[in-house]
Amino acid sequence: MSTRSNAESGDTMSLANTYRPHTWEDVVEQGLTVKILRSVCSDPSLPCRNFLLTGSQGVGKTTLSKIAARSLNGGEDGEVIEVDAATNGTAEAIRELTQQAKTYPLTGNVKTIILDECHALSSAAWSALLSTIENQPARTCWFFCTTNPEKIPKTILSRVQQFQLSKISLSGIIERMKYILDKEKEKGENLTYTDDGIAFIAKLANGGLRDALTLLDKTLMYSKDISSESVTASLVMFDYDDFFKMLGAISKHDNTAIADTVDRVYNSGTNFVKWFDDFHSFVLNVAKYIVVRDIDRTMIPAHYTDKLAKYNMNHYTVCLRLANILLSLCQELRTTNYQQEVALTRLLTTPKKEVG
């Protein structure tokens, strides 16, 4: 989008970067973490200088660390060192980082070191960090960000203040996306969106706001008219119509239709295992809908509401049985050289013996 271009390079910025929060007030949800961090950063004595932010991807761990850095430096960025531990997590790299931590910041009052994906650090790297964290250099703050806190040594956990970030609610993601799209329209972007389309993206993001904005970017590259149909098409998702047909064939014990679908999917060149993984998820979501009768609680696009409304408790029993079959099938497909044959063996129904 031209309105999000980098003025110097001409490169288009992602929505996630363009609308990354820069103040405490901009942060979506995470109210308790924001309140405590804001209070800590406003304390001149800075009693704690080592922070651990945990939570699933895209919920604001790095963003909050950067906002804290600005807060510690009176609204300015100060000296911020951001390191991806997944690619720079060797003991040697961390020793170099600890030496930087011992020096005064080049700009601002406090030097901030953000160590993203810190669970990827080696044991030797954690050992190299330990004494620096324990001694807490007066003008340096550490922010450790991770999706896997269980991989962090206890010796480190006992020396940091930990914050558990929650997934962003569906309504929170929807509200933020609408705000961003409305801002883009104010800038002159010719786009439209439906509530169903935005809600479907929010569901696909699974609580990650950054992931939602990434999906939104991909959808806008396909179409400036955002609907559940355009979202499905733009994200190269499997055809839900095929899933409905397959479920119907299995419900009716229609072996010909089952075999035709398996053969067509296999010969199409699509990822056969991924197709059945997604079909498994679809079946579970159909079962959920049958019980709660609310498509918003499922991962199925809203434009399939009429089809789902036809399912009843008899289908629920079929879905539960099928879900167990698919669970085993998906595991087998990952290890066999005979994927097509295994799928047919598991899904086809043995014909009843004819009497007489």
Side-chain angles (χ1 to χ4, degrees), residues 55-70:
S56 56
Q57 62 182 29
V59 296
K61 299 182 293 296
T62 305
T63 293
L64 279 170
S65 300
K66 291 181 176 180
I67 292 174
R70 294 189 192 94

Side-chain angles (χ1 to χ4, degrees), residues 13-221:
M13 293 177 65
S14 68
L15 288 171
N17 285 333
T18 302
Y19 291 95
R20 179 191 286 270
H22 293 287
T23 67
W24 299 116
E25 291 78 13
D26 290 339
V27 177
V28 177
E29 300 182 358
Q30 313 301 355
L32 181 60
T33 297
V34 167
K35 181 179 180 180
I36 297 174
L37 259 180
R38 192 173 191 172
S39 175
V40 170
C41 292
S42 63
D43 187 341
S45 66
L46 203 59
C48 180
R49 302 187 190 96
N50 307 318
F51 305 94
L52 172 64
L53 281 71
T54 68
S56 56
Q57 62 182 29
V59 296
K61 299 182 293 296
T62 305
T63 293
L64 279 170
S65 300
K66 291 181 176 180
I67 292 174
R70 294 189 192 94
S71 180
L72 289 166
N73 287 288
E76 301 295 330
D77 286 338
E79 184 180 357
V80 178
I81 302 172
E82 187 174 354
V83 177
D84 180 6
T87 55
N88 296 285
T90 63
E92 182 179 353
I94 295 303
R95 289 192 189 96
E96 181 179 338
L97 200 59
T98 59
Q99 291 305 310
Q100 295 182 57
K102 296 174 183 177
T103 63
Y104 273 28
L106 297 176
T107 59
N109 297 319
V110 179
K111 178 183 298 186
T112 306
I113 301 176
I114 302 172
L115 206 54
D116 205 7
E117 301 298 331
C118 66
H119 60 268
L121 291 177
S122 65
S123 297
W126 281 120
S127 297
L129 266 174
L130 185 58
S131 62
T132 302
I133 294 175
E134 193 169 31
N135 293 330
Q136 297 194 101
R139 301 283 291 277
T140 299
C141 280
W142 291 84
F143 286 84
F144 300 95
C145 304
T146 181
T147 54
N148 299 100
E150 68 278 0
K151 295 183 179 180
I152 299 176
K154 293 181 179 179
T155 51
I156 300 295
L157 290 175
S158 63
R159 291 169 172 80
V160 298
Q161 184 169 356
Q162 185 171 350
F163 298 94
Q164 173 65 53
L165 275 65
S166 61
K167 288 187 176 184
I168 309 299
S169 69
L170 194 67
S171 60
I173 294 176
I174 290 172
E175 183 179 346
R176 184 64 175 176
M177 282 196 293
K178 286 184 175 181
Y179 166 82
I180 289 171
L181 288 171
D182 289 341
K183 284 293 184 182
E184 289 294 295
K185 290 170 71 174
E186 288 176 9
K187 295 176 183 178
E189 290 294 336
N190 183 24
L191 58 85
T192 63
Y193 63 85
T194 66
D195 289 343
D196 287 346
I198 297 300
F200 189 38
I201 292 176
K203 288 192 286 187
L204 293 174
N206 193 28
L209 181 53
R210 185 187 65 236
D211 292 351
L213 296 181
T214 299
L215 294 174
L216 182 57
D217 260 327
K218 290 180 179 179
T219 303
L220 287 170
M221 290 177 66

